[in-house]
Amino acid sequence: MLAVSTLVSVAACGGGGEAATEGGKPVLNIAVAKHSLTKKMSEMKWVKDLEKECGCVIKWQEVSSDWDQKKQAMFAAGNVPDMILKGVNMTDIATYGSLFEDLSDDLDKMPNVKEMFEKDPASKRIVTEEDGKIHILPSVKKGWPTTVSHLYINKQWVDKLGLKMPTTWDELYDVMVAFKEGDPNGNGQADEVPFDFHAPGTGGFGDYQPHLLLGSLGLTLSNNSGTGYYVDDNKVHNFFTDERFKEVIEYLNKLWSAGLVNKEAFTHDYATAQSFARGEGDTAKVGVTWGWTASDRFGAQLADQYEPVGPLKASADQTEPVVGEYRKDGLSYNTIALVVSATTKNKEAALKVANAFYGEDMSVELLWGDLGTDVEKVSEGHYKVLPPADSTKDSSTWKWTETLADDSPGWIRPDAEIEYPADLVEVQEDEVPMQPAFDAVDTKNDIMPQFLQLSADDLKTIQLNNTTILNTTMSKFSSWVAKGGVDSEWDSFVDTLKKANIDQNVEIYQKAYDAYMNE
């Protein structure tokens, strides 16, 4: 693990003094925020190709945990490495933009990026700031689904216990009780966990987490919904103060009080949650949970036990249509892909590297792994993603092991022919039960755009307000689910959020939403 002091000292190499060289070649220090599964950069073949293309030596600073804390220390020191992959977002730019190069006037030196912007204007629009500057380069993919989080129920357990697949929250509760009491995995032990989810963080909700139940109540989650924001009939709101959020919490507390929720749900990390859901051999441990695909969540050995389902009705007699989380644009684009230091002494080499990331072959390798090992180049513009070389791994886990995957820069051309890996084929199939919920979404009037442009001052205001809003909400959420009390404390909670200027944040997002819709 990379220490903060190491990051800061390496960052200084990109600042003052002479340009660093090694063997007559320019040296680039690149910090990369990696997935915990990802192997060392030195083990990736495309990294060597990258060095050949730029005629430089790359020294990687690899961070797989606590990136947010480490980057804040690095930024506060006033200097950064020559380049950072993944870890810098538009909010960071609002505060620390002067640390990074404005790339808007460097496009001629990055022809791949320039071509991407010309052929896909949205890719440029989403990273262009109000003053026309471009500090971050995006990544652009294709073939991704409508949402990341899909709900799965262990159908083998349902059948063994003579149950029916649930269609409402009450029916789901009854099924979970049966899972707890009926030994559906047949090992003679009370080790079944009826319901599990990935632990929410202090910064809001993420993928595979229980705020997704809001779709059952007709509230459309889309982009920025992790921090509570959603759109209804072109009006921005925040569900943290919405009675439907309270209703979700009350239902989750009912499940928790009945012993149906994994007691580690609020504390286990991603790797632990994934490992637990994969059970032991043929013995499943989890009854109901969200995941990317069945094979990704439960592993190849258990995946067939599970069936994807659409969002359930909150009650049998409700008239409000059930809606699905809708993130189609946000899954095809990523705006935290790449930044270049404003003080790098090897800017020409840095621009060559940035351009190389957006090459056709390189973009495919960054996303799925090395050509010849993980991807076959069938012909020019035609690629086949190969099955994992390790047959014990599913394709989703394998790509995160082999390369930077979804967190990488790159541009998958719209005319590229891709024979997709099993997880992307599987996820399209797993979304079929969700299609009615997607169809119920008003995509014209109820979607928060992924890439709203906010001024630096507005971003700072939101960030400042969110310090109290998110700390209060996320701590109360876990407490209310586990201990109850939401009903008696709700009014004071809403009052606290209003005093923390949640309405001001809504107004700022509304202004940005209106500007986006009127462009």
Side-chain angles (χ1 to χ4, degrees):
M1 183 173 69
L2 186 65
V4 173
S5 58
T6 306
L7 257 181
V8 173
S9 63
V10 167
C13 297
E18 297 298 320
T21 61
E22 188 173 299
K25 296 180 179 180
V27 173
L28 288 180
N29 293 288
I30 303 180
V32 54
K34 290 168 44 185
H35 195 287
S36 59
L37 293 174
T38 308
K39 65 186 182 184
K40 293 180 179 179
M41 302 300 292
S42 60
E43 298 174 6
M44 302 177 194
K45 176 180 174 293
W46 63 259
V47 168
K48 299 178 181 63
D49 295 336
L50 187 66
E51 288 186 316
K52 289 179 183 178
E53 189 157 345
C54 73
C56 64
V57 175
I58 297 176
K59 295 191 175 181
W60 297 95
Q61 311 304 320
E62 304 175 39
V63 185
S64 295
S65 63
D66 302 324
W67 168 251
D68 285 341
Q69 291 81 3
K70 290 170 182 173
K71 75 176 178 182
Q72 290 304 319
M74 180 172 61
F75 294 166
N79 215 336
V80 294
D82 297 295
M83 185 178 292
I84 301 175
L85 302 186
K86 186 208 171 183
V88 181
N89 57 42
M90 298 299 284
T91 301
D92 295 325
I93 295 299
T95 305
Y96 300 105
S98 62
L99 296 176
F100 304 105
E101 181 72 17
D102 172 18
L103 299 169
S104 63
D105 55 359
D106 294 314
L107 296 180
D108 286 339
K109 295 180 180 179
M110 298 183 292
N112 289 329
V113 176
K114 185 176 181 180
E115 182 185 4
M116 176 180 68
F117 284 166
E118 290 172 348
K119 291 189 174 181
D120 186 352
S123 68
K124 184 176 183 180
R125 177 187 182 188
I126 62 177
V127 292
T128 303
E129 298 151 45
E130 283 191 332
D131 58 4
K133 293 180 179 179
I134 297 175
H135 287 101
I136 296 178
L137 296 184
S139 67
V140 180
K141 305 184 291 287
K142 71 171 190 173
W144 261 244
T146 303
T147 189
V148 167
S149 304
H150 307 93
L151 184 63
Y152 296 92
I153 298 178
N154 193 311
K155 182 66 161 54
Q156 183 170 300
W157 289 9
V158 169
D159 293 343
K160 182 175 181 178
L161 298 176
L163 307 171
K164 293 182 179 179
M165 290 291 279
T167 61
T168 67
W169 285 3
D170 285 343
E171 291 176 3
L172 181 63
Y173 175 86
D174 292 339
V175 165
M176 289 183 184
V177 170
F179 284 173
K180 180 185 178 184
E181 299 175 350
D183 188 28
N185 67 14
N187 67 353
Q189 303 176 35
D191 58 352
E192 291 86 356
V193 171
F195 186 47
D196 198 8
F197 48 82
H198 286 75
T202 57
F205 292 102
D207 300 328
Y208 323 124
Q209 294 173 4
H211 69 301
L212 293 160
L213 290 172
L214 286 163
S216 296
L217 298 166
L219 192 154
T220 300
L221 300 171
S222 54
N223 307 297
N224 294 307
S225 287
T227 50
Y229 299 96
Y230 71 99
V231 173
D232 181 19
D233 195 22
N234 301 118
K235 298 296 181 184
V236 177
H237 306 272
N238 190 297
F239 66 70
F240 291 164
T241 59
D242 192 299
E243 289 283 337
R244 289 171 289 186
F245 183 48
K246 177 185 170 187
E247 192 172 340
V248 166
I249 294 170
E250 290 172 332
Y251 179 68
L252 291 169
N253 174 248
K254 177 182 177 181
L255 300 182
W256 189 282
S257 300
L260 305 178
V261 183
N262 188 344
K263 294 300 183 183
E264 307 299 322
F266 285 105
T267 56
H268 57 196
D269 61 18
Y270 178 88
T272 304
Q274 288 290 95
S275 177
F276 183 76
R278 294 180 178 215
E280 297 175 359
D282 293 326
T283 303
K285 295 294 182 69
V286 175
V288 182
T289 190
W290 288 278
W292 167 243
T293 65
S295 62
D296 178 67
R297 189 73 166 99
F298 310 106
Q301 197 164 353
L302 294 180
D304 289 345
Q305 292 190 23
Y306 292 85
E307 185 171 296
V309 296
L312 308 180
K313 286 185 176 182
S315 61
D317 60 351
Q318 75 179 61
T319 57
E320 190 71 33
V322 174
V323 292
E325 183 190 43
Y326 203 93
R327 292 169 53 193
K328 209 167 186 65
D329 60 338
L331 294 177
S332 297
Y333 297 89
N334 186 346
T335 58
I336 54 172
L338 184 158
V339 292
V340 174
S341 168
T343 57
T344 177
K345 296 299 181 180
N346 283 318
K347 181 178 176 181
E348 293 300 316
L351 294 178
K352 285 182 180 179
V353 168
N355 183 65
F357 279 133
Y358 292 85
E360 189 165 12
D361 287 351
M362 186 72 70
S363 294
V364 171
E365 290 185 289
L366 285 158
L367 192 50
W368 286 297
D370 292 327
L371 292 180
T373 302
D374 304 301
V375 181
E376 175 189 351
K377 186 173 183 179
V378 180
S379 61
E380 202 62 40
H382 181 184
Y383 303 88
K384 179 180 181 179
V385 183
L386 300 173
D390 181 349
S391 61
T392 66
K393 298 286 196 304
D394 60 90
S395 60
S396 179
T397 300
W398 184 247
K399 83 175 174 186
W400 286 107
T401 303
E402 289 292 280
T403 189
L404 300 181
D406 296 13
D407 291 339
S408 64
W411 172 37
I412 303 300
R413 273 67 173 167
D415 57 351
E417 183 178 353
I418 308 292
E419 296 184 45
Y420 289 105
D423 68 305
L424 278 176
V425 174
E426 182 184 357
V427 77
Q428 297 291 351
E429 296 171 349
D430 286 0
E431 284 206 341
V432 171
M434 298 187 70
Q435 195 56 51
F438 294 147
D439 292 340
V441 172
D442 184 345
T443 56
K444 291 184 178 180
N445 303 304
D446 291 351
I447 299 294
M448 174 73 87
Q450 171 71 14
F451 306 109
L452 296 178
Q453 291 295 344
L454 286 81
S455 69
D457 287 343
D458 283 345
L459 278 169
K460 289 176 184 176
T461 297
I462 286 174
Q463 191 174 28
L464 180 64
N465 292 341
N466 273 347
T467 300
T468 301
I469 293 168
L470 294 176
N471 284 340
T472 301
T473 299
M474 301 315 294
S475 62
K476 282 296 185 182
F477 177 78
S478 58
S479 174
W480 284 334
V481 170
K483 300 176 182 178
V486 65
D487 190 54
S488 61
E489 298 178 20
W490 180 255
D491 289 343
S492 62
F493 165 73
V494 171
D495 185 58
T496 297
L497 296 192
K498 288 187 177 296
K499 289 178 179 177
N501 298 318
I502 194 170
D503 291 336
Q504 182 184 29
N505 280 10
V506 168
E507 290 172 3
I508 290 172
Y509 275 120
Q510 185 71 60
K511 179 178 67 175
Y513 174 85
D514 291 341
Y516 182 94
M517 298 300 286
N518 291 327
E519 284 184 5

